[in-house]
């Protein structure tokens, strides 16, 4: 979905670019925001190049990621085809297409996934 002129959350999301923050007292888990504005295109109709990521410092791996860096395969196996959508999520070791609605929803969905994964990781 293309950015609408009144989407104030778009500018707020852009302001998060470069932010890194620990989200627990031990600084084991931390999030990083990489967000830049780009010209709208078929692969980035919203005009964003973004990666919102939750890392586990102890394990040295990404636990959650929302980004638009590459096309997502629509199926597994030899006959799989690439999807046109580039927006997708990484959750633990799975990748799923993500349908971008607006910047506020993106940030909300990211934090919801972070909370969900941390609830599992901390058990």
């Amino acid at each position: 979905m293309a950015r609408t002129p009144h989407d104030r959350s778009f500018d707020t999301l852009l302001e998060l670019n470069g932010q890194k923050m620990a989200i627990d007292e031990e600084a084991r888990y931390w999030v990083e925001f990489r967000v830049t504005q780009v010209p709208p295109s078929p692969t980035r109709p919203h005009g964003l190049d973004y990666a919102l990521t939750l890392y586990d410092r102890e394990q040295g791996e990404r636990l959650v990621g929302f980004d638009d860096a590459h096309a997502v395969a629509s199926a597994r196996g030899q006959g799989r085809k690439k999807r046109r959508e580039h927006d997708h999520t990484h959750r633990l070791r799975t990748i799923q297409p993500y349908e971008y609605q607006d910047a506020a929803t993106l940030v909300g969905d990211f934090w919801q996934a972070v909370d969900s994964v941390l609830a599992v990781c901390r058990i």
Side-chain angles (χ1 to χ4, degrees):
M1 170 181 263
R3 175 183 170 213
T4 58
H6 63 277
D7 182 8
R8 292 186 180 153
S9 64
F10 187 90
D11 295 329
T12 302
L13 178 60
L14 289 172
E15 290 175 11
L16 289 173
N17 184 46
Q19 295 293 314
K20 295 180 184 180
M21 60 188 90
I23 58 172
D24 64 324
E25 290 182 22
E26 299 82 29
R28 174 179 176 175
Y29 302 103
W30 53 284
V31 296
E32 180 177 1
F33 297 89
R34 184 185 54 77
V35 187
T36 56
Q37 188 170 4
V38 297
S41 69
T43 57
R44 291 184 175 101
H46 40 61
L48 287 171
D49 179 13
Y50 66 90
L52 286 55
T53 310
L54 167 68
Y55 293 100
D56 179 340
R57 187 180 310 273
E58 188 175 292
Q59 298 295 320
E61 67 181 344
R62 172 177 54 187
L63 300 177
V64 172
F66 280 59
D67 62 66
D68 63 330
H70 56 84
V72 180
S74 62
R76 295 181 187 260
Q78 263 185 325
R80 72 183 184 174
K81 295 181 180 178
K82 291 284 186 179
R83 295 179 60 108
R84 290 178 50 91
E85 294 84 11
H86 283 243
D87 298 277
H88 59 278
T89 64
H90 299 259
R91 183 176 166 142
L92 301 173
R93 293 191 173 96
T94 63
I95 301 173
Q96 296 292 322
Y98 178 75
E99 188 168 334
Y100 179 91
Q101 294 175 20
D102 57 45
T105 302
L106 172 66
V107 172
D109 290 347
F110 171 71
W111 283 114
Q112 185 175 28
V114 166
D115 288 344
S116 176
V117 167
L118 289 179
V120 172
C121 290
R122 291 179 174 162
I123 292 177

